[in-house]
Amino acid sequence: MPQTKKHHIIAFILLAIMAGMLFISILNESAIVDELAHIPAGYSYAVLLDYRLNPEHPPLLKAISGAFVYMFTNSHFPIHIASWKDEINGQWGMGYSFMYEHGNDADAIIFWARLPIILLAIYFGWLLYQWVSRRFGPRTALLTLAFFCFSPTMLAHSRYVTTDLGASFGFFIGIITFIKLLERPTMRNAIIAGLMFAIAQLLKFSLVLLIPIYGLMFICWIISIPSQSKKEWLYQTWAIFKKIILMLVVALVLIWAMYGLFTYNYPPERQLQDSTSILTSYGFRPAVNLDLWLIKHPLTRPLGHYLLGVLMVQQRAAGGNTAFFLGEVSAAGSRLYFPLLYLIKEPLPIHLFSLIALFYCVTQFRFWLKGRKQYVAGIIATTWRTAIQRHFVEWSCVIMILVYWAVSMKSPLNIGIRHVLPTFPFIYILISRGVIQWSNRHSLLLSPRNWKDIFTNLFTLIFKTFPRYAIIGLLLFWLAAGTLTTTPAFLSFYNELAGNTPEGWKIAVDSNYDWGQDLKRLADFVETNNIKKIAVDYFGGGVPKYYLGNRVEPWWSSRGQPKGWFAISATFRQGALGTPVPGFIRKQEDSYEWLAKYPPIARAGYSIFIYKLPE
């Protein structure tokens, strides 16, 4: 069997396992918070060509999910209610009404809306494998794919109707096609890069970060061009720059066309009215004036709606979000948030692989440096261009990771590790590259000429090569087994450093732990225990009454202490019991102080705490 075919079969097996975990995990999960807005918005884009809902997120992935719902369910979309006719961006009301109030099958809607997200995840994994294989070989590609398929964080966000997987996919296709454009600045590659850049912008607004990333990649590329005359260097630089301009023009046209399609039935006067209201509090008024000017003109109206989304995202990021983190409640954010969550939300084997890759890089640098200390400055000056050129893909991965993490850590919007998910595939590539090079460090003599060569090969195999492969194999087994046994609780996963998943709520909640996914499991608990009445304070995109019927009594903290059975989402619980940071004011009626003295007797999934309180 050809070696490449063997690698392809292994890749198919990994992706089949990933697909199985994803399908199993959605069978008993309720809608998460963002899906309550994204699913009806996507349906309205695909079916009604009207973009009045959820403009703060681009349309492409939501529209595809909406099209699946339209094709495979017989759902009624209530355009007669106030959330659609009168409210400005009435996304939450439309979601509640569309999914739970008008006789539609909410579970069917959720399933079919999530299906294209899962399919995109599988395709993304295959594309990642194929591209890394061509660049660094099939072994590096398979290790990268294994990290992708068995990362609980990647799995968690590869099945929800949100923009997180789309953002990861968009950054990947944007960067790999831009690398190809720099390497071969042809018109064909410029058009392809433009199309991919446009698709990226239609997946999530954070992908505007591709522009500074492209800029840094372009600078690194042109300064690494081999020594030649200044005229030839300028000629090559200008040739690449012209193709980049073409790329941007192609992207702009496609963005305009897609937004034109999805705003086709959005009344212009209503669009202007909604946008004016939404941007009332936006600080930089010249940007607002530009956006409203674009919306007023029929030809530029689609671009105005795109710019509206960008401005809304900036406004949201600057405002922060109240969140629980390390026992405290704050809206200011923390620079420690993303680094710590990456450390404790990714499986420990991946971190051990990272240490191996880092160890290999350090030892290689020390080996290179040995005997050259007195010439270091001169050597660096003469070889850094060659290093960039030979390892440009790795440089591009590093640029992407550094830029994205710098922007994310600066933002006060700390509501989930998912916000740095786009960097994960690039981190996996770098780790895999280092680990595979480390495993290949000691090669065998291909044609042993005497007994000494034979014994040398045997010694290398037993004492140098085999232990390295054994370490890799054991870590991969640990990674796969840990993730498989975590199914379906990918969202709530925390590794051993945080005390494992059951203890993760002590660190951070929201989309790190509790996004409303366990409501159906609460319904199962109520049914199994024959509970007649239960008070519920639920955080999520589901509706307790839809699954629990008359057994549920909606509850909130200002109502005081209920009697009997009580269930509360971890996000609300930690937000109420956490310590407010100086300057953050929490109202007394929003606090569950009385709850602190009662231990929960059970949990629905991991994210909903269940109590039996005194009657």
Side-chain angles (χ1 to χ4, degrees):
M1 184 183 295
Q3 193 73 2
T4 53
K5 190 174 182 180
K6 290 181 180 178
H7 291 122
H8 287 354
I9 290 175
I10 296 172
F12 282 132
I13 291 172
L14 289 174
L15 290 170
I17 294 172
M18 182 183 188
M21 289 189 291
L22 292 174
F23 277 109
I24 290 171
S25 70
I26 67 170
L27 293 179
N28 200 34
E29 287 206 343
S30 48
I32 52 95
V33 174
D34 286 13
E35 287 180 320
L36 191 62
H38 288 196
I39 291 176
Y43 190 95
S44 68
Y45 306 160
V47 179
L48 304 179
L49 301 182
D50 192 315
Y51 203 160
R52 70 184 66 188
L53 299 178
N54 198 236
E56 64 266 37
H57 294 292
L60 188 55
L61 207 51
K62 291 180 292 181
I64 295 172
S65 289
F68 269 62
V69 173
Y70 175 73
M71 290 187 294
F72 297 108
T73 70
N74 186 25
S75 300
H76 168 67
F77 194 78
I79 60 174
H80 61 282
I81 65 175
S83 296
W84 179 262
K85 293 194 307 178
D86 305 320
E87 293 180 13
I88 298 171
N89 189 19
Q91 53 188 355
W92 305 108
M94 280 304 301
Y96 178 81
S97 183
F98 174 56
M99 295 171 64
Y100 302 107
E101 279 197 323
H102 282 79
N104 295 328
D105 186 340
D107 290 332
I109 290 173
I110 293 167
F111 175 83
W112 289 108
R114 288 175 175 175
L115 182 59
I117 311 299
I118 294 176
L119 296 177
L120 175 63
I122 302 306
Y123 173 70
F124 187 6
W126 177 249
L127 180 65
L128 178 66
Y129 162 74
Q130 288 278 50
W131 186 80
V132 176
S133 183
R134 288 194 296 269
R135 291 285 176 168
F136 301 123
R139 294 171 64 207
T140 301
L142 285 174
L143 187 57
T144 303
L145 182 60
F147 295 157
F148 180 88
C149 291
F150 292 110
S151 164
T153 303
M154 187 62 69
L155 288 165
H157 300 285
S158 292
R159 64 225 166 99
Y160 296 139
V161 187
T162 65
T163 55
D164 300 304
L165 178 71
S168 301
F169 181 73
F171 272 105
F172 184 72
I173 62 175
I175 286 176
I176 65 173
T177 52
F178 191 72
I179 290 174
K180 189 172 182 180
L181 174 61
L182 293 175
E183 292 173 340
R184 295 186 61 194
T186 63
M187 182 172 291
R188 178 178 181 273
N189 287 342
I191 293 173
I192 293 174
L195 293 175
M196 296 304 103
F197 179 69
I199 290 173
Q201 301 309 307
L202 294 168
L203 291 170
K204 190 163 186 173
F205 286 120
S206 63
L207 281 134
V208 297
L209 285 176
L210 278 174
I211 295 174
I213 292 171
Y214 283 172
L216 291 173
M217 290 171 62
F218 173 66
I219 291 171
C220 287
W221 181 263
I222 62 173
I223 62 179
S224 69
I225 293 175
S227 299
Q228 53 189 304
S229 69
K230 184 177 180 180
K231 184 178 180 180
E232 291 175 335
W233 182 85
L234 288 173
Y235 177 80
Q236 288 192 34
T237 301
W238 176 243
I240 297 172
F241 185 74
K242 286 192 298 184
K243 295 303 186 292
I244 293 175
I245 297 299
L246 175 60
M247 176 197 79
L248 295 175
V249 170
V250 170
L252 186 64
V253 171
L254 182 57
I255 292 170
W256 172 84
M258 291 297 292
Y259 268 81
L261 175 66
F262 292 129
T263 57
Y264 184 79
N265 288 327
Y266 188 8
E269 63 282 359
R270 175 67 187 270
Q271 181 187 358
L272 180 61
Q273 174 189 335
D274 291 351
S275 301
T276 302
S277 179
I278 289 170
L279 295 175
T280 299
S281 60
Y282 190 85
F284 187 61
R285 300 313 296 177
V288 175
N289 295 335
L290 172 62
D291 185 45
L292 298 181
W293 181 87
L294 291 172
I295 292 173
K296 289 176 183 177
H297 295 80
L299 185 63
T300 58
R301 189 165 73 97
L303 296 178
H305 209 58
Y306 171 80
L307 180 58
L308 170 68
V310 174
L311 298 181
M312 290 179 71
V313 168
Q314 291 178 348
Q315 191 173 28
R316 171 82 191 283
N321 195 85
T322 301
F324 170 86
F325 179 56
L326 293 178
E328 295 183 337
V329 180
S330 171
S334 169
R335 298 291 172 88
L336 182 64
Y337 185 85
F338 289 113
L340 178 62
L341 284 175
Y342 176 76
L343 183 64
I344 59 181
K345 288 281 291 175
E346 277 290 89
L348 210 51
I350 291 182
H351 295 320
L352 295 177
F353 275 121
S354 301
L355 292 177
I356 292 173
L358 182 62
F359 169 78
Y360 172 77
C361 292
V362 171
T363 54
Q364 286 299 101
F365 180 74
R366 289 182 62 188
F367 175 78
W368 175 86
L369 195 62
K370 189 177 181 180
R372 297 180 174 89
K373 292 182 179 179
Q374 64 271 38
Y375 306 112
V376 168
I379 291 172
I380 291 177
T382 56
T383 61
W384 65 284
R385 291 180 178 175
T386 303
I388 292 176
Q389 204 169 49
R390 289 179 179 176
H391 302 282
F392 187 71
V393 171
E394 293 97 318
W395 278 91
S396 299
C397 291
V398 170
I399 289 171
M400 158 62 192
I401 295 166
L402 291 179
V403 170
Y404 200 93
W405 274 75
V407 173
S408 299
M409 290 174 65
K410 186 179 178 181
S411 170
L413 192 63
N414 289 174
I415 56 175
I417 188 64
R418 62 191 176 94
H419 283 182
V420 292
L421 191 70
T423 63
F424 282 26
F426 300 96
I427 293 174
Y428 298 156
I429 291 170
L430 293 177
I431 295 172
S432 302
R433 181 85 167 119
V435 169
I436 296 302
Q437 287 182 320
W438 171 77
S439 70
N440 292 336
R441 187 175 179 186
H442 300 286
S443 57
L444 300 177
L445 299 172
L446 297 179
S447 301
R449 293 172 296 180
N450 49 48
W451 283 104
K452 181 182 177 181
D453 289 349
I454 293 174
F455 280 113
T456 298
N457 274 355
L458 191 61
F459 178 84
T460 300
L461 185 64
I462 295 175
F463 294 102
K464 294 182 178 180
T465 303
F466 177 76
R468 298 186 180 211
Y469 284 113
I471 290 172
I472 292 174
L474 287 172
L475 289 177
L476 283 174
F477 177 80
W478 180 5
L479 173 64
T483 302
L484 286 167
T485 54
T486 295
T487 310
F490 303 125
L491 188 78
S492 300
F493 174 84
Y494 277 84
N495 67 28
E496 294 83 348
L497 297 177
N500 289 312
T501 302
E503 304 299 314
W505 57 272
K506 298 176 182 179
I507 309 296
V509 283
D510 206 289
S511 63
N512 299 300
Y513 199 78
D514 165 35
W515 222 2
Q517 71 275 11
D518 288 324
L519 180 59
K520 293 173 70 174
R521 296 184 179 98
L522 175 63
D524 292 340
F525 179 87
V526 170
E527 181 68 28
T528 301
N529 291 274
N530 195 27
I531 297 172
K532 303 301 182 184
K533 203 73 174 180
I534 183 170
V536 177
D537 194 357
Y538 167 71
F539 173 78
V543 173
K545 189 173 181 61
Y546 184 84
Y547 294 105
L548 294 164
N550 293 327
R551 296 182 178 188
V552 67
E553 182 177 3
W555 206 263
W556 51 92
S557 58
S558 63
R559 294 190 66 183
Q561 181 174 331
K563 296 179 180 180
W565 290 98
F566 174 62
I568 181 172
S569 294
T571 299
F572 286 154
R573 181 183 185 273
Q574 297 310 101
L577 298 180
T579 303
V581 300
F584 180 82
I585 300 175
R586 181 174 60 211
K587 297 178 181 178
Q588 184 68 27
E589 61 267 26
D590 292 335
S591 174
Y592 276 103
E593 291 183 0
W594 56 266
L595 188 61
K597 62 183 178 182
Y598 297 107
I601 65 166
R603 276 196 257 177
Y606 289 103
S607 70
I608 300 179
F609 291 78
I610 302 172
Y611 296 82
K612 186 69 166 66
L613 302 174
E615 295 286 351

